[in-house]
Amino acid sequence: MSFQFDSLQDFIQMSGHGPFVWACYGITFAVLVYLVFSPLVRRRRLIRQHQAWLKQMDRVREVARQA
Amino acid sequence: MSNWQWFHRLGSPRWFYYKTEGWVPWLAAVSGILLVLGTVWGLAFAPPDYQQGNSYRIIYLHVPAAFLALIGYYVMAVAGAVGMIWRMKMAFVVMKSAAPIGAALTFLSLVTGAIWGKPTWGTWWEWDARITSMLILLFLYLGIMALQAAFQSRDAADKASALLALIGTVNIPIIYKSVDWWHTLHQPATLKLTSAPTIHSSMLYPLLTMILAFYIFYALVLILYTRAEILRREGRTQWVIDLVKEEAKKP
């Protein structure tokens, strides 16, 4: 098993198929990265929303106690 | 564990959430390493195809993405069926989580296929059986995402989505068989369960590496989406309130 191209230039161009091949790898990895980060961001946002809700509930309870 | 205990535990969102917490870094590490390994192998070290030259290197993305797009549909439909039959709420969470992942993978298999088609067939798109049935698969995934968003009642959204997912399974064998049943530009399957692969081992091993990488990546992402959805649905339960309070203490 060896490197299949004569030079880095050759590797990038892939005898004319370079743009097609590299575009596929670029798009695919962009989508894969999105798939990992989108639920992580969503989880953080949900936790922050829940925290805001809990604070609001505390305030409601405080007001109810004073009344 | 007694015979059905695992099934009941699996049905508990809290159990799932905490159980999978430790799996995430391992799945991420293994899938990341395999993706890099398979990509470098496929792009640089696998030999060029004697007919297609270097454009065939797109196979290392196209086939794994298409594989998981189909398997992801089974995951979604089976989860929908389990949710309908046993009224297991975790199953609906998994079903909902599988939809955007499957849509992304179906989109990838269509896009990489189109880009591969241009230098190979001379066209980006052809309304042939394989490509059209994959496009229908994309619409099924998008339809389930739309149904999930369309109902006020979560119960109604889950049931409608599960029904559509089950009806849509008709499309899956059509996709598999489309290259045999109709004349098509698409090349026949490279990998088959019933016969030897039509690809040399120097190209097969990086392909299998990428398929394994996509499998593990799929498991990782499905768990991440499911965990986020659990937090959303269980937001008013005590264990999530405790968890949120715990998170607030972290810097």
Side-chain angles (χ1 to χ4, degrees), chain A residues 1-2 4, chain B residues 38 40-50 56-57 59-60 197-209:
Chain A
M1 197 168 61
S2 58
Q4 296 293 319
Chain B
V40 172
W41 198 350
L43 273 178
F45 292 95
D49 185 69
Y50 81 102
Y56 100 94
R57 293 181 194 281
I59 200 174
Y60 299 113
T198 59
I199 181 174
H200 189 259
S201 59
S202 57
M203 299 171 172
L204 176 66
Y205 294 142
L207 181 59
L208 293 178
T209 306

PDB file of all heavy atoms in Angstrom, chain A residues 1-2 4, chain B residues 38 40-50 56-57 59-60 197-209:
ATOM      1  N   MET A   1       0.853  -1.197   0.000  1.00  0.00           N
ATOM      2  CA  MET A   1       0.000   0.000   0.000  1.00  0.00           C
ATOM      3  C   MET A   1       0.880   1.235   0.000  1.00  0.00           C
ATOM      4  O   MET A   1       1.760   1.363   0.840  1.00  0.00           O
ATOM      5  CB  MET A   1      -0.907  -0.012   1.241  1.00  0.00           C
ATOM      6  CG  MET A   1      -2.067   0.923   1.104  1.00  0.00           C
ATOM      7  SD  MET A   1      -3.300   0.646   2.399  1.00  0.00           S
ATOM      8  CE  MET A   1      -2.398   0.973   3.886  1.00  0.00           C
ATOM      9  N   SER A   2       0.685   2.105  -0.974  1.00  0.00           N
ATOM     10  CA  SER A   2       1.521   3.312  -1.035  1.00  0.00           C
ATOM     11  C   SER A   2       0.673   4.503  -1.471  1.00  0.00           C
ATOM     12  O   SER A   2      -0.450   4.345  -1.961  1.00  0.00           O
ATOM     13  CB  SER A   2       2.661   3.086  -2.029  1.00  0.00           C
ATOM     14  OG  SER A   2       2.104   2.783  -3.285  1.00  0.00           O
ATOM     15  N   GLN A   4      -0.801   7.107  -3.732  1.00  0.00           N
ATOM     16  CA  GLN A   4      -1.136   6.835  -5.131  1.00  0.00           C
ATOM     17  C   GLN A   4      -0.823   7.994  -6.083  1.00  0.00           C
ATOM     18  O   GLN A   4      -1.088   7.890  -7.270  1.00  0.00           O
ATOM     19  CB  GLN A   4      -2.632   6.500  -5.241  1.00  0.00           C
ATOM     20  CG  GLN A   4      -3.021   5.227  -4.517  1.00  0.00           C
ATOM     21  CD  GLN A   4      -2.421   3.997  -5.169  1.00  0.00           C
ATOM     22  OE1 GLN A   4      -2.379   3.884  -6.378  1.00  0.00           O
ATOM     23  NE2 GLN A   4      -1.919   3.077  -4.354  1.00  0.00           N
TER      24      GLN A   4
ATOM     25  N   GLY B  38     -10.278   6.056   7.449  1.00  0.00           N
ATOM     26  CA  GLY B  38     -10.925   5.654   6.207  1.00  0.00           C
ATOM     27  C   GLY B  38     -10.801   6.714   5.121  1.00  0.00           C
ATOM     28  O   GLY B  38     -10.625   6.387   3.942  1.00  0.00           O
ATOM     29  N   VAL B  40      -8.366   9.099   4.768  1.00  0.00           N
ATOM     30  CA  VAL B  40      -6.991   9.156   4.257  1.00  0.00           C
ATOM     31  C   VAL B  40      -6.708   7.935   3.381  1.00  0.00           C
ATOM     32  O   VAL B  40      -6.142   8.044   2.280  1.00  0.00           O
ATOM     33  CB  VAL B  40      -5.987   9.248   5.439  1.00  0.00           C
ATOM     34  CG1 VAL B  40      -4.559   9.120   4.935  1.00  0.00           C
ATOM     35  CG2 VAL B  40      -6.182  10.557   6.194  1.00  0.00           C
ATOM     36  N   TRP B  41      -7.148   6.779   3.855  1.00  0.00           N
ATOM     37  CA  TRP B  41      -6.959   5.523   3.106  1.00  0.00           C
ATOM     38  C   TRP B  41      -7.643   5.607   1.740  1.00  0.00           C
ATOM     39  O   TRP B  41      -7.033   5.342   0.698  1.00  0.00           O
ATOM     40  CB  TRP B  41      -7.525   4.385   3.942  1.00  0.00           C
ATOM     41  CG  TRP B  41      -7.081   3.009   3.565  1.00  0.00           C
ATOM     42  CD1 TRP B  41      -6.384   2.628   2.460  1.00  0.00           C
ATOM     43  CD2 TRP B  41      -7.311   1.814   4.337  1.00  0.00           C
ATOM     44  NE1 TRP B  41      -6.182   1.275   2.480  1.00  0.00           N
ATOM     45  CE2 TRP B  41      -6.728   0.751   3.610  1.00  0.00           C
ATOM     46  CE3 TRP B  41      -7.954   1.531   5.544  1.00  0.00           C
ATOM     47  CZ2 TRP B  41      -6.775  -0.571   4.071  1.00  0.00           C
ATOM     48  CZ3 TRP B  41      -8.004   0.224   5.993  1.00  0.00           C
ATOM     49  CH2 TRP B  41      -7.416  -0.815   5.265  1.00  0.00           C
ATOM     50  N   GLY B  42      -8.893   6.016   1.741  1.00  0.00           N
ATOM     51  CA  GLY B  42      -9.659   6.057   0.507  1.00  0.00           C
ATOM     52  C   GLY B  42      -9.188   7.124  -0.472  1.00  0.00           C
ATOM     53  O   GLY B  42      -9.171   6.916  -1.679  1.00  0.00           O
ATOM     54  N   LEU B  43      -8.784   8.267   0.076  1.00  0.00           N
ATOM     55  CA  LEU B  43      -8.394   9.382  -0.803  1.00  0.00           C
ATOM     56  C   LEU B  43      -6.992   9.202  -1.364  1.00  0.00           C
ATOM     57  O   LEU B  43      -6.729   9.548  -2.513  1.00  0.00           O
ATOM     58  CB  LEU B  43      -8.438  10.703  -0.025  1.00  0.00           C
ATOM     59  CG  LEU B  43      -9.765  11.452   0.043  1.00  0.00           C
ATOM     60  CD1 LEU B  43      -9.620  12.696   0.898  1.00  0.00           C
ATOM     61  CD2 LEU B  43     -10.252  11.826  -1.348  1.00  0.00           C
ATOM     62  N   ALA B  44      -6.089   8.699  -0.527  1.00  0.00           N
ATOM     63  CA  ALA B  44      -4.682   8.769  -0.908  1.00  0.00           C
ATOM     64  C   ALA B  44      -4.047   7.414  -1.178  1.00  0.00           C
ATOM     65  O   ALA B  44      -3.140   7.316  -2.013  1.00  0.00           O
ATOM     66  CB  ALA B  44      -3.891   9.490   0.187  1.00  0.00           C
ATOM     67  N   PHE B  45      -4.511   6.345  -0.501  1.00  0.00           N
ATOM     68  CA  PHE B  45      -3.769   5.085  -0.569  1.00  0.00           C
ATOM     69  C   PHE B  45      -4.478   3.976  -1.339  1.00  0.00           C
ATOM     70  O   PHE B  45      -3.837   3.040  -1.791  1.00  0.00           O
ATOM     71  CB  PHE B  45      -3.422   4.606   0.851  1.00  0.00           C
ATOM     72  CG  PHE B  45      -2.416   5.498   1.524  1.00  0.00           C
ATOM     73  CD1 PHE B  45      -2.831   6.517   2.371  1.00  0.00           C
ATOM     74  CD2 PHE B  45      -1.059   5.342   1.283  1.00  0.00           C
ATOM     75  CE1 PHE B  45      -1.912   7.365   2.970  1.00  0.00           C
ATOM     76  CE2 PHE B  45      -0.123   6.179   1.878  1.00  0.00           C
ATOM     77  CZ  PHE B  45      -0.545   7.194   2.729  1.00  0.00           C
ATOM     78  N   ALA B  46      -5.785   4.056  -1.480  1.00  0.00           N
ATOM     79  CA  ALA B  46      -6.477   3.060  -2.303  1.00  0.00           C
ATOM     80  C   ALA B  46      -6.128   3.335  -3.765  1.00  0.00           C
ATOM     81  O   ALA B  46      -5.981   4.493  -4.163  1.00  0.00           O
ATOM     82  CB  ALA B  46      -7.983   3.154  -2.078  1.00  0.00           C
ATOM     83  N   PRO B  47      -5.996   2.280  -4.574  1.00  0.00           N
ATOM     84  CA  PRO B  47      -5.635   2.505  -5.986  1.00  0.00           C
ATOM     85  C   PRO B  47      -6.788   3.155  -6.752  1.00  0.00           C
ATOM     86  O   PRO B  47      -7.939   2.996  -6.372  1.00  0.00           O
ATOM     87  CB  PRO B  47      -5.367   1.089  -6.497  1.00  0.00           C
ATOM     88  CG  PRO B  47      -6.138   0.194  -5.592  1.00  0.00           C
ATOM     89  CD  PRO B  47      -6.150   0.857  -4.255  1.00  0.00           C
ATOM     90  N   PRO B  48      -6.475   3.883  -7.841  1.00  0.00           N
ATOM     91  CA  PRO B  48      -7.559   4.440  -8.659  1.00  0.00           C
ATOM     92  C   PRO B  48      -8.309   3.330  -9.386  1.00  0.00           C
ATOM     93  O   PRO B  48      -7.778   2.249  -9.596  1.00  0.00           O
ATOM     94  CB  PRO B  48      -6.827   5.351  -9.655  1.00  0.00           C
ATOM     95  CG  PRO B  48      -5.421   4.882  -9.667  1.00  0.00           C
ATOM     96  CD  PRO B  48      -5.150   4.235  -8.349  1.00  0.00           C
ATOM     97  N   ASP B  49      -9.568   3.597  -9.733  1.00  0.00           N
ATOM     98  CA  ASP B  49     -10.382   2.615 -10.445  1.00  0.00           C
ATOM     99  C   ASP B  49      -9.939   2.561 -11.899  1.00  0.00           C
ATOM    100  O   ASP B  49      -9.649   3.593 -12.505  1.00  0.00           O
ATOM    101  CB  ASP B  49     -11.858   3.023 -10.361  1.00  0.00           C
ATOM    102  CG  ASP B  49     -12.772   1.977 -10.970  1.00  0.00           C
ATOM    103  OD1 ASP B  49     -12.885   0.905 -10.371  1.00  0.00           O
ATOM    104  OD2 ASP B  49     -13.343   2.237 -12.035  1.00  0.00           O
ATOM    105  N   TYR B  50      -9.905   1.346 -12.481  1.00  0.00           N
ATOM    106  CA  TYR B  50      -9.373   1.248 -13.847  1.00  0.00           C
ATOM    107  C   TYR B  50     -10.312   1.853 -14.873  1.00  0.00           C
ATOM    108  O   TYR B  50      -9.898   2.223 -15.957  1.00  0.00           O
ATOM    109  CB  TYR B  50      -9.018  -0.203 -14.189  1.00  0.00           C
ATOM    110  CG  TYR B  50     -10.184  -1.061 -14.599  1.00  0.00           C
ATOM    111  CD1 TYR B  50     -10.396  -1.357 -15.959  1.00  0.00           C
ATOM    112  CD2 TYR B  50     -11.059  -1.581 -13.650  1.00  0.00           C
ATOM    113  CE1 TYR B  50     -11.462  -2.137 -16.341  1.00  0.00           C
ATOM    114  CE2 TYR B  50     -12.126  -2.355 -14.029  1.00  0.00           C
ATOM    115  CZ  TYR B  50     -12.328  -2.633 -15.374  1.00  0.00           C
ATOM    116  OH  TYR B  50     -13.389  -3.404 -15.755  1.00  0.00           O
ATOM    117  N   TYR B  56     -14.006   7.748  -8.521  1.00  0.00           N
ATOM    118  CA  TYR B  56     -14.651   6.688  -7.744  1.00  0.00           C
ATOM    119  C   TYR B  56     -14.396   6.847  -6.245  1.00  0.00           C
ATOM    120  O   TYR B  56     -15.102   6.242  -5.427  1.00  0.00           O
ATOM    121  CB  TYR B  56     -14.156   5.312  -8.218  1.00  0.00           C
ATOM    122  CG  TYR B  56     -13.103   4.726  -7.336  1.00  0.00           C
ATOM    123  CD1 TYR B  56     -13.456   3.846  -6.310  1.00  0.00           C
ATOM    124  CD2 TYR B  56     -11.757   5.096  -7.464  1.00  0.00           C
ATOM    125  CE1 TYR B  56     -12.491   3.337  -5.452  1.00  0.00           C
ATOM    126  CE2 TYR B  56     -10.808   4.612  -6.611  1.00  0.00           C
ATOM    127  CZ  TYR B  56     -11.173   3.723  -5.604  1.00  0.00           C
ATOM    128  OH  TYR B  56     -10.224   3.240  -4.745  1.00  0.00           O
ATOM    129  N   ARG B  57     -13.395   7.663  -5.863  1.00  0.00           N
ATOM    130  CA  ARG B  57     -13.072   7.832  -4.432  1.00  0.00           C
ATOM    131  C   ARG B  57     -14.268   8.397  -3.648  1.00  0.00           C
ATOM    132  O   ARG B  57     -14.293   8.334  -2.421  1.00  0.00           O
ATOM    133  CB  ARG B  57     -11.855   8.748  -4.257  1.00  0.00           C
ATOM    134  CG  ARG B  57     -10.574   8.115  -4.789  1.00  0.00           C
ATOM    135  CD  ARG B  57      -9.359   8.975  -4.608  1.00  0.00           C
ATOM    136  NE  ARG B  57      -8.262   8.467  -5.422  1.00  0.00           N
ATOM    137  CZ  ARG B  57      -7.503   7.425  -5.075  1.00  0.00           C
ATOM    138  NH1 ARG B  57      -7.692   6.830  -3.929  1.00  0.00           N
ATOM    139  NH2 ARG B  57      -6.538   6.995  -5.879  1.00  0.00           N
ATOM    140  N   ILE B  59     -16.959   7.002  -3.589  1.00  0.00           N
ATOM    141  CA  ILE B  59     -17.670   5.828  -3.039  1.00  0.00           C
ATOM    142  C   ILE B  59     -17.496   5.740  -1.529  1.00  0.00           C
ATOM    143  O   ILE B  59     -18.395   5.279  -0.826  1.00  0.00           O
ATOM    144  CB  ILE B  59     -17.176   4.518  -3.709  1.00  0.00           C
ATOM    145  CG1 ILE B  59     -18.200   3.390  -3.528  1.00  0.00           C
ATOM    146  CG2 ILE B  59     -15.833   4.058  -3.151  1.00  0.00           C
ATOM    147  CD1 ILE B  59     -17.850   2.112  -4.286  1.00  0.00           C
ATOM    148  N   TYR B  60     -16.352   6.190  -1.019  1.00  0.00           N
ATOM    149  CA  TYR B  60     -16.071   6.055   0.420  1.00  0.00           C
ATOM    150  C   TYR B  60     -16.978   6.945   1.273  1.00  0.00           C
ATOM    151  O   TYR B  60     -17.007   6.799   2.488  1.00  0.00           O
ATOM    152  CB  TYR B  60     -14.588   6.340   0.707  1.00  0.00           C
ATOM    153  CG  TYR B  60     -13.700   5.358  -0.011  1.00  0.00           C
ATOM    154  CD1 TYR B  60     -12.864   5.764  -1.051  1.00  0.00           C
ATOM    155  CD2 TYR B  60     -13.744   4.009   0.304  1.00  0.00           C
ATOM    156  CE1 TYR B  60     -12.080   4.853  -1.731  1.00  0.00           C
ATOM    157  CE2 TYR B  60     -12.976   3.080  -0.379  1.00  0.00           C
ATOM    158  CZ  TYR B  60     -12.138   3.509  -1.397  1.00  0.00           C
ATOM    159  OH  TYR B  60     -11.388   2.596  -2.080  1.00  0.00           O
ATOM    160  N   PRO B 197     -18.204  -9.488  -2.760  1.00  0.00           N
ATOM    161  CA  PRO B 197     -18.226  -8.100  -3.235  1.00  0.00           C
ATOM    162  C   PRO B 197     -17.561  -7.968  -4.604  1.00  0.00           C
ATOM    163  O   PRO B 197     -16.652  -8.722  -4.933  1.00  0.00           O
ATOM    164  CB  PRO B 197     -17.453  -7.349  -2.159  1.00  0.00           C
ATOM    165  CG  PRO B 197     -16.704  -8.363  -1.369  1.00  0.00           C
ATOM    166  CD  PRO B 197     -17.440  -9.656  -1.522  1.00  0.00           C
ATOM    167  N   THR B 198     -18.069  -7.013  -5.399  1.00  0.00           N
ATOM    168  CA  THR B 198     -17.526  -6.794  -6.739  1.00  0.00           C
ATOM    169  C   THR B 198     -16.459  -5.717  -6.712  1.00  0.00           C
ATOM    170  O   THR B 198     -16.411  -4.851  -7.556  1.00  0.00           O
ATOM    171  CB  THR B 198     -18.650  -6.351  -7.686  1.00  0.00           C
ATOM    172  OG1 THR B 198     -19.213  -5.146  -7.141  1.00  0.00           O
ATOM    173  CG2 THR B 198     -19.724  -7.386  -7.820  1.00  0.00           C
ATOM    174  N   ILE B 199     -15.591  -5.794  -5.725  1.00  0.00           N
ATOM    175  CA  ILE B 199     -14.600  -4.750  -5.559  1.00  0.00           C
ATOM    176  C   ILE B 199     -13.348  -5.397  -4.981  1.00  0.00           C
ATOM    177  O   ILE B 199     -13.420  -6.334  -4.186  1.00  0.00           O
ATOM    178  CB  ILE B 199     -15.158  -3.628  -4.632  1.00  0.00           C
ATOM    179  CG1 ILE B 199     -14.172  -2.491  -4.435  1.00  0.00           C
ATOM    180  CG2 ILE B 199     -15.595  -4.176  -3.294  1.00  0.00           C
ATOM    181  CD1 ILE B 199     -14.774  -1.314  -3.651  1.00  0.00           C
ATOM    182  N   HIS B 200     -12.175  -4.940  -5.424  1.00  0.00           N
ATOM    183  CA  HIS B 200     -10.912  -5.537  -4.975  1.00  0.00           C
ATOM    184  C   HIS B 200     -10.645  -5.181  -3.511  1.00  0.00           C
ATOM    185  O   HIS B 200     -11.058  -4.131  -3.044  1.00  0.00           O
ATOM    186  CB  HIS B 200      -9.769  -5.023  -5.860  1.00  0.00           C
ATOM    187  CG  HIS B 200      -8.487  -5.745  -5.609  1.00  0.00           C
ATOM    188  ND1 HIS B 200      -7.490  -5.201  -4.835  1.00  0.00           N
ATOM    189  CD2 HIS B 200      -8.046  -6.959  -6.016  1.00  0.00           C
ATOM    190  CE1 HIS B 200      -6.483  -6.078  -4.779  1.00  0.00           C
ATOM    191  NE2 HIS B 200      -6.796  -7.131  -5.485  1.00  0.00           N
ATOM    192  N   SER B 201      -9.943  -6.071  -2.806  1.00  0.00           N
ATOM    193  CA  SER B 201      -9.751  -5.872  -1.367  1.00  0.00           C
ATOM    194  C   SER B 201      -9.028  -4.560  -1.053  1.00  0.00           C
ATOM    195  O   SER B 201      -9.285  -3.949  -0.021  1.00  0.00           O
ATOM    196  CB  SER B 201      -8.993  -7.050  -0.765  1.00  0.00           C
ATOM    197  OG  SER B 201      -7.739  -7.177  -1.393  1.00  0.00           O
ATOM    198  N   SER B 202      -8.165  -4.104  -1.954  1.00  0.00           N
ATOM    199  CA  SER B 202      -7.452  -2.848  -1.698  1.00  0.00           C
ATOM    200  C   SER B 202      -8.406  -1.657  -1.668  1.00  0.00           C
ATOM    201  O   SER B 202      -8.111  -0.622  -1.101  1.00  0.00           O
ATOM    202  CB  SER B 202      -6.381  -2.606  -2.760  1.00  0.00           C
ATOM    203  OG  SER B 202      -6.992  -2.612  -4.033  1.00  0.00           O
ATOM    204  N   MET B 203      -9.564  -1.808  -2.323  1.00  0.00           N
ATOM    205  CA  MET B 203     -10.604  -0.770  -2.264  1.00  0.00           C
ATOM    206  C   MET B 203     -11.665  -1.126  -1.230  1.00  0.00           C
ATOM    207  O   MET B 203     -12.318  -0.246  -0.682  1.00  0.00           O
ATOM    208  CB  MET B 203     -11.281  -0.622  -3.629  1.00  0.00           C
ATOM    209  CG  MET B 203     -10.355  -0.206  -4.734  1.00  0.00           C
ATOM    210  SD  MET B 203     -11.236  -0.337  -6.300  1.00  0.00           S
ATOM    211  CE  MET B 203     -10.060   0.421  -7.402  1.00  0.00           C
ATOM    212  N   LEU B 204     -11.843  -2.429  -0.984  1.00  0.00           N
ATOM    213  CA  LEU B 204     -12.895  -2.889  -0.074  1.00  0.00           C
ATOM    214  C   LEU B 204     -12.602  -2.510   1.379  1.00  0.00           C
ATOM    215  O   LEU B 204     -13.488  -2.035   2.084  1.00  0.00           O
ATOM    216  CB  LEU B 204     -13.052  -4.413  -0.199  1.00  0.00           C
ATOM    217  CG  LEU B 204     -14.060  -5.062   0.757  1.00  0.00           C
ATOM    218  CD1 LEU B 204     -15.475  -4.608   0.445  1.00  0.00           C
ATOM    219  CD2 LEU B 204     -13.971  -6.589   0.683  1.00  0.00           C
ATOM    220  N   TYR B 205     -11.360  -2.713   1.813  1.00  0.00           N
ATOM    221  CA  TYR B 205     -11.059  -2.464   3.224  1.00  0.00           C
ATOM    222  C   TYR B 205     -11.276  -1.010   3.645  1.00  0.00           C
ATOM    223  O   TYR B 205     -11.884  -0.764   4.680  1.00  0.00           O
ATOM    224  CB  TYR B 205      -9.656  -2.960   3.586  1.00  0.00           C
ATOM    225  CG  TYR B 205      -9.534  -4.469   3.497  1.00  0.00           C
ATOM    226  CD1 TYR B 205      -8.387  -5.084   3.025  1.00  0.00           C
ATOM    227  CD2 TYR B 205     -10.600  -5.285   3.879  1.00  0.00           C
ATOM    228  CE1 TYR B 205      -8.286  -6.470   2.932  1.00  0.00           C
ATOM    229  CE2 TYR B 205     -10.518  -6.662   3.782  1.00  0.00           C
ATOM    230  CZ  TYR B 205      -9.365  -7.252   3.312  1.00  0.00           C
ATOM    231  OH  TYR B 205      -9.280  -8.618   3.210  1.00  0.00           O
ATOM    232  N   PRO B 206     -10.786  -0.028   2.866  1.00  0.00           N
ATOM    233  CA  PRO B 206     -11.130   1.345   3.270  1.00  0.00           C
ATOM    234  C   PRO B 206     -12.636   1.612   3.238  1.00  0.00           C
ATOM    235  O   PRO B 206     -13.146   2.361   4.067  1.00  0.00           O
ATOM    236  CB  PRO B 206     -10.400   2.226   2.244  1.00  0.00           C
ATOM    237  CG  PRO B 206      -9.932   1.324   1.181  1.00  0.00           C
ATOM    238  CD  PRO B 206      -9.829  -0.047   1.759  1.00  0.00           C
ATOM    239  N   LEU B 207     -13.360   0.947   2.317  1.00  0.00           N
ATOM    240  CA  LEU B 207     -14.816   1.135   2.264  1.00  0.00           C
ATOM    241  C   LEU B 207     -15.478   0.569   3.524  1.00  0.00           C
ATOM    242  O   LEU B 207     -16.340   1.212   4.132  1.00  0.00           O
ATOM    243  CB  LEU B 207     -15.387   0.473   1.009  1.00  0.00           C
ATOM    244  CG  LEU B 207     -16.907   0.619   0.815  1.00  0.00           C
ATOM    245  CD1 LEU B 207     -17.310   2.085   0.747  1.00  0.00           C
ATOM    246  CD2 LEU B 207     -17.372  -0.099  -0.444  1.00  0.00           C
ATOM    247  N   LEU B 208     -15.041  -0.636   3.930  1.00  0.00           N
ATOM    248  CA  LEU B 208     -15.599  -1.224   5.152  1.00  0.00           C
ATOM    249  C   LEU B 208     -15.255  -0.371   6.366  1.00  0.00           C
ATOM    250  O   LEU B 208     -16.070  -0.214   7.275  1.00  0.00           O
ATOM    251  CB  LEU B 208     -15.081  -2.658   5.339  1.00  0.00           C
ATOM    252  CG  LEU B 208     -15.572  -3.678   4.294  1.00  0.00           C
ATOM    253  CD1 LEU B 208     -14.947  -5.049   4.555  1.00  0.00           C
ATOM    254  CD2 LEU B 208     -17.090  -3.785   4.296  1.00  0.00           C
ATOM    255  N   THR B 209     -14.049   0.199   6.370  1.00  0.00           N
ATOM    256  CA  THR B 209     -13.664   1.094   7.465  1.00  0.00           C
ATOM    257  C   THR B 209     -14.616   2.280   7.544  1.00  0.00           C
ATOM    258  O   THR B 209     -15.087   2.652   8.628  1.00  0.00           O
ATOM    259  CB  THR B 209     -12.230   1.616   7.247  1.00  0.00           C
ATOM    260  OG1 THR B 209     -11.361   0.508   7.070  1.00  0.00           O
ATOM    261  CG2 THR B 209     -11.752   2.465   8.428  1.00  0.00           C
TER     262      THR B 209
END
